[in-house]
Amino acid sequence: MDLVPALEEPLKKVLGPATAKVMAEHLGLHSVGDLLHHYPRRYEERGQLTHLADLPMDEHVTVVAQVADARLHTFASAKAPRGKGQRLEVTITDGSGRLQLVFFGHGVHKPHKELLPGTRAMFAGKVSLFNRRLQLAHPAYELLRGDAEETVETWAGALIPLYPATAKLESWKIGKAIQTVLPSAQEALDPLPESLREGRGLVPLPEALLKIHRPHTKADIADAHARLKWDEAFVLQVALARRRHADAQLPAVPRKPAPDGLLSAFDDRLPFTLTDGQQKVSKEIFDDLATDHPMHRLLQGEVGSGKTLVALRAMLAVVDAGGQAAMLAPTEVLAQQHHRSIVEMMGELAEGGMLGGSEQGTKVTLLTGSMGTAARRQAMLDLVTGEAGIVIGTHALIEDKVQFHDLGLVVVDEQHRFGVEQRDALRGKGKQPPHLLVMTATPIPRTVAMTVFGDLETSVLDQLPAGRSPIASHVVPAADKPHFLTRAWERVREEVENGHQAYVVCPRIGDEEDDPKKARKSAEDEAEKRPPLAVLDIADQLAKGPLSGLRVEVLHGRMHPDDKDAVMRRFAAGETHVLVATTVIEVGVNVPNATAMVIMDADRFGVSQLHQLRGRVGRGSAAGLCLLVSEMPEASPARQRLNAVASTLDGFELSRIDLEQRREGDVLGQAQSGARTSLRVLAVIEDEEIIAEARQEATAVVEADPELTGLPALRTALDALLDEEREQYLEKG
């Protein structure tokens, strides 16, 4: 393939080895093309000054401001005992706020000469607090003279681009490096098909690169953004469309349920009717299962919308058609729970081949890493002979040793903990690729689903089954109003007195402190001056204090699996009143009698995690109550997040709020290694329309020319994207 030499040129050759090394190590930039795609974070206008009041703490910032005054102080110190130490304090202003710069020792001479009152400059450094005032210590700076000695070219543009920078490389140095390579932008290969570009009125790529790095007007920036967003959305959607296209070419065994088989026997014994949503989604799944290429479907459902039931019916349909179904859960606790609840739902149908089992029944087997050798051997035997129609397990199912008789369907629970590679490994277990159903309980906004899970078709379950109760949620401000917390424990007692049970959730287990490395606190903890609350401490305090006399037990991830199981069984049986746990209970725990949940340090959990946790109460006919305890002050972003969770039970709405508050990168990055995390200008929530349109265009392009033979520039862009993915796989492996 004829690659573009100018953009492939290594930065070492163009900028020299020292700068290139810093760019590679700190910014991941290796070639001229990489550098051209390192876009400005924002732009300062030459005539305007930065708003100093909005600077983030502990972050590396670049500001444009004017020197208000400069004072040189001498002081005595250990190094300079005779009062010879020198400290230069410079105050800069944006016209409203002020910021202190400090220089020490020999470093004071140059700034003392150059930073005279009235001088304008760009300053870069890390913002810290000293004596309750914002300051930058030893910032790097670049004077903005605007007179003849500076090249007119550099400063002619009224807009100064400020780049994502690091302490080792200031924004203006990146800017100068980009000026050096900018002429190469003319040779950039345009990945967008010409008809698409012209049809949407987008500027060509070389022009977009010039405009984003050297804009003369705000309209230039807007043109460049509009174009570069399309590039990102389109190339990513083409990669996903090709994956869908390739999957659609694979052969699969169609699986149609037998007319009076296992599925209808199961439906007959259900004590309730399916919701309209469950029926609609089941139909989509059954239609897919009946085709001769593999289903790839994402089943999104609100917490408690009955996804497990829909998945179980799909598994039964496949068993009916002579195949086997495997369900993969992210943790042992969850695998055991799924196994228990599926066996309960199926009753004698889960005892195929056993005494008292049903004619139409099948065997439901559990396979996890911590099972004893004999039990494991039996489970593996059941799989290879086909005795077990349904198997539920953890990653242990993916191991090489595990063989199936005829794997027809794979159900993956809680997608975000499973990478593409694991899905592929399990799919490789079938004689032909099995059908795939992925369930996620964290509702994902439609655009994120299209970006991250773009290789899957999506079904959404958004109504709750009849008989589920609404959950009331309230924020308990423990620091401002301690009596609210006292009242919270009284509420828990009242629920127990009315015959119900409660959860108390904490962010930490509480036995980690012996490891000094783990005890290092993050900056946020330092600010709080206390570590997050721990299960073991809280359980102890509650049992001795506000909940004395009630049966309180603990559950966390480091307990032995048998102990965890025993605790869960006692709680499910109603023998324990209050379960103090970590987020182990986040997904899949089903105890209809539990009506109250108190989440300690709720501000330390993410929005979707809180929504997940809250879904564990109100699963029966009695109303649910969720109390979010926080010591964060009223005005903090953390409290606003909690107020948002308390104000709505709509998971899709919450997932949008969550996304708007975090950076997309987190969302795309944690979702799975196969997703491109380096979205530079595309914002998943704001650019919903672009993503949807790019998906349509990409699908049409791939259907017309799956190998992209007529679009060499698009292939080059794809190779670059997929190289990055491959690198991510290798790093993760």
Side-chain angles (χ1 to χ4, degrees):
M1 225 168 20
D2 187 10
L3 287 176
V4 195
L7 297 195
E8 295 295 314
E9 189 82 39
L11 290 173
K12 271 207 293 280
K13 284 193 178 161
V14 191
L15 303 174
T19 311
K21 185 170 184 241
V22 177
M23 287 197 166
E25 284 176 7
H26 294 272
L27 297 167
L29 308 174
H30 304 280
S31 66
V32 169
D34 291 346
L35 183 55
L36 286 174
H37 287 293
H38 187 72
Y39 308 134
R41 178 175 284 165
R42 57 192 174 88
Y43 301 85
E44 286 293 352
E45 293 187 49
R46 278 236 53 189
Q48 289 190 342
L49 298 175
T50 311
H51 212 51
L52 295 176
D54 302 338
L55 293 180
M57 284 291 294
D58 280 342
E59 273 192 35
H60 200 84
V61 298
T62 305
V63 296
V64 177
Q66 186 165 5
V67 177
D69 65 56
R71 296 203 179 95
L72 191 60
H73 302 274
T74 49
F75 60 89
S77 72
K79 283 187 183 161
R82 292 200 298 281
K84 292 276 173 65
Q86 290 192 306
R87 180 174 81 241
L88 176 66
E89 288 180 1
V90 178
T91 307
I92 58 173
T93 176
D94 58 0
S96 59
R98 293 179 158 241
L99 180 66
Q100 188 101 26
L101 315 179
V102 195
F103 301 88
F104 292 101
H106 296 303
V108 304
H109 305 305
K110 186 167 176 270
H112 192 208
K113 283 211 302 280
E114 295 182 332
L115 297 179
L116 303 170
T119 312
R120 284 191 175 191
M122 286 197 275
F123 301 93
K126 200 170 182 184
V127 184
S128 56
L129 261 187
F130 182 72
N131 283 343
R132 306 195 66 116
R133 289 163 67 191
L134 290 181
Q135 73 162 25
L136 293 181
H138 275 291
Y141 61 88
E142 176 91 340
L143 301 178
L144 301 180
R145 298 194 179 85
D147 54 26
E149 55 185 272
E150 200 162 2
T151 57
V152 180
E153 179 64 346
T154 321
W155 295 113
L159 295 160
I160 303 169
L162 293 184
Y163 290 92
T166 74
K168 294 268 190 292
L169 201 63
E170 294 88 17
S171 167
W172 54 87
K173 288 187 181 157
I174 296 173
K176 283 180 178 164
I178 284 175
Q179 297 297 345
T180 311
V181 301
L182 208 48
S184 310
Q186 291 308 331
E187 298 188 37
L189 270 185
D190 201 324
L192 292 190
E194 204 163 320
S195 55
L196 187 158
R197 202 183 74 227
E198 287 171 358
R200 298 193 175 267
L202 299 169
V203 301
L205 183 57
E207 187 184 327
L209 290 171
L210 281 170
K211 284 184 166 173
I212 200 160
H213 291 300
R214 202 185 281 173
H216 292 294
T217 61
K218 291 189 170 165
D220 284 352
I221 301 172
D223 282 352
H225 267 153
R227 161 63 218 240
L228 295 166
K229 281 182 173 185
W230 254 96
D231 274 20
E232 284 187 10
F234 181 71
V235 174
L236 178 62
Q237 291 299 340
V238 166
L240 292 166
R242 288 187 73 187
R243 197 178 159 109
R244 282 197 304 278
H245 185 269
D247 281 340
Q249 308 310 308
L250 294 172
V253 180
R255 310 280 179 175
K256 294 182 179 147
D260 324 313
L262 184 55
L263 179 61
S264 38
F266 174 76
D267 285 349
D268 292 344
R269 48 167 296 153
L270 278 180
F272 49 83
T273 53
L274 299 177
T275 64
D276 297 346
Q278 285 173 323
Q279 291 185 348
K280 177 178 135 287
V281 170
S282 288
K283 182 178 180 325
E284 291 170 354
I285 293 173
F286 290 153
D287 289 350
D288 280 0
L289 288 174
T291 61
D292 52 12
H293 54 88
M295 162 170 86
H296 288 103
R297 195 166 275 284
L298 174 69
L299 173 56
Q300 290 205 63
E302 265 300 356
V303 175
S305 56
K307 288 183 300 297
T308 315
L309 178 63
V310 170
L312 175 56
R313 293 185 71 241
M315 298 201 296
L316 295 173
V318 169
V319 174
D320 253 356
Q324 288 170 295
M327 183 184 231
L328 233 66
T331 63
E332 298 217 340
V333 169
L334 248 169
Q336 286 162 345
Q337 273 162 355
H338 276 314
H339 182 252
R340 226 184 359 254
S341 65
I342 283 175
V343 168
E344 274 167 25
M345 278 155 91
M346 287 176 62
E348 76 273 13
L349 295 173
E351 297 166 3
M354 293 186 249
L355 273 173
S358 155
E359 290 283 293
Q360 294 134 318
T362 185
K363 197 165 177 184
V364 181
T365 294
L366 177 70
L367 182 60
T368 64
S370 66
M371 284 166 67
T373 321
R376 257 185 91 99
R377 194 175 294 132
Q378 182 57 51
M380 288 173 55
L381 190 66
D382 289 345
L383 291 185
V384 78
T385 57
E387 181 86 8
I390 295 178
V391 58
I392 294 146
T394 53
H395 289 68
L397 279 178
I398 303 176
E399 288 172 13
D400 294 342
K401 296 194 286 288
V402 180
Q403 297 296 323
F404 289 84
H405 176 63
D406 177 13
L407 182 59
L409 169 67
V410 175
V411 179
V412 178
D413 186 19
E414 276 308 286
Q415 167 63 17
H416 58 263
R417 311 197 187 171
F418 265 22
V420 176
E421 314 93 303
Q422 285 126 317
R423 288 193 338 212
D424 288 347
L426 193 56
R427 292 208 319 229
K429 300 262 180 214
K431 296 189 176 68
Q432 283 192 335
H435 298 281
L436 175 70
L437 179 64
V438 171
M439 300 198 294
T440 168
T442 313
I444 309 170
R446 178 170 147 264
T447 40
V448 181
M450 285 192 312
T451 310
V452 181
F453 304 118
D455 55 336
L456 303 172
E457 300 298 325
T458 308
S459 295
V460 177
L461 269 180
D462 47 12
Q463 56 185 144
L464 295 183
R468 290 299 294 272
S469 306
I471 303 168
S473 306
H474 304 285
V475 178
V476 177
D480 319 347
K481 303 181 175 159
H483 59 285
F484 274 40
L485 184 57
T486 314
R487 177 74 190 110
W489 300 126
E490 287 169 7
R491 283 289 292 115
V492 170
R493 285 197 91 96
E494 287 162 17
E495 289 298 311
V496 172
E497 279 158 17
N498 291 332
H500 298 301
Q501 292 159 279
Y503 297 100
V504 177
V505 182
C506 304
R508 211 162 54 91
I509 297 173
D511 56 5
E512 313 81 340
E513 293 310 322
D514 41 14
D515 179 352
K517 284 214 262 312
K518 284 208 179 129
R520 281 216 309 270
K521 296 184 175 60
S522 69
E524 194 180 335
D525 289 349
E526 280 298 342
E528 315 281 66
K529 283 292 174 275
R530 74 166 176 75
L533 294 170
V535 167
L536 302 175
D537 309 342
I538 291 285
D540 201 40
Q541 291 165 24
L542 292 177
K544 291 180 178 149
L547 302 183
S548 63
L550 303 185
R551 288 192 296 283
V552 178
E553 287 210 64
V554 299
L555 178 70
H556 59 74
R558 258 194 254 125
M559 290 162 60
H560 187 278
D562 293 350
D563 297 342
K564 281 194 260 196
D565 209 40
V567 169
M568 270 320 299
R569 276 176 197 278
R570 285 196 291 275
F571 190 64
E575 294 164 24
T576 307
H577 296 136
V578 180
L579 187 61
V580 183
T582 53
T583 52
V584 182
I585 60 153
E586 181 183 350
V587 232
V589 174
N590 188 16
V591 180
N593 191 41
T595 51
M597 175 176 286
V598 181
I599 303 180
M600 308 303 291
D601 278 346
D603 47 87
R604 311 228 179 192
F605 297 97
V607 170
S608 53
Q609 205 174 18
L610 290 169
H611 183 56
Q612 276 290 16
L613 286 165
R614 166 172 70 184
R616 302 302 111 212
V617 295
R619 298 179 80 86
S621 49
L625 171 70
C626 177
L627 302 175
L628 306 165
V629 179
S630 169
E631 292 187 1
M632 292 307 249
E634 183 88 46
S636 62
R639 273 285 286 281
Q640 287 159 10
R641 263 203 338 259
L642 295 181
N643 292 339
V645 174
S647 67
T648 176
L649 289 172
D650 179 344
F652 286 92
E653 177 56 30
L654 284 175
S655 65
R656 285 186 81 97
I657 293 171
D658 200 12
L659 248 188
E660 279 158 11
Q661 295 197 337
R662 302 194 326 210
R663 297 202 179 95
E664 261 93 16
D666 311 346
V667 180
L668 302 186
Q670 57 119 36
Q672 61 190 72
S673 49
R676 170 94 186 262
T677 54
S678 53
L679 292 186
R680 298 184 177 97
V681 281
L682 193 68
V684 172
I685 286 285
E686 289 161 36
D687 300 321
E688 191 154 355
E689 282 159 30
I690 295 181
I691 291 171
E693 289 170 19
R695 180 172 170 137
Q696 284 177 337
E697 295 272 9
T699 308
V701 165
V702 170
E703 275 174 6
D705 177 6
E707 291 305 308
L708 308 178
T709 31
L711 299 164
L714 176 55
R715 287 188 61 151
T716 306
L718 261 185
D719 289 342
L721 173 84
L722 297 171
D723 263 359
E724 210 163 305
E725 275 194 20
R726 275 195 219 101
E727 271 171 47
Q728 287 178 350
Y729 277 160
L730 294 175
E731 281 165 22
K732 287 215 163 44

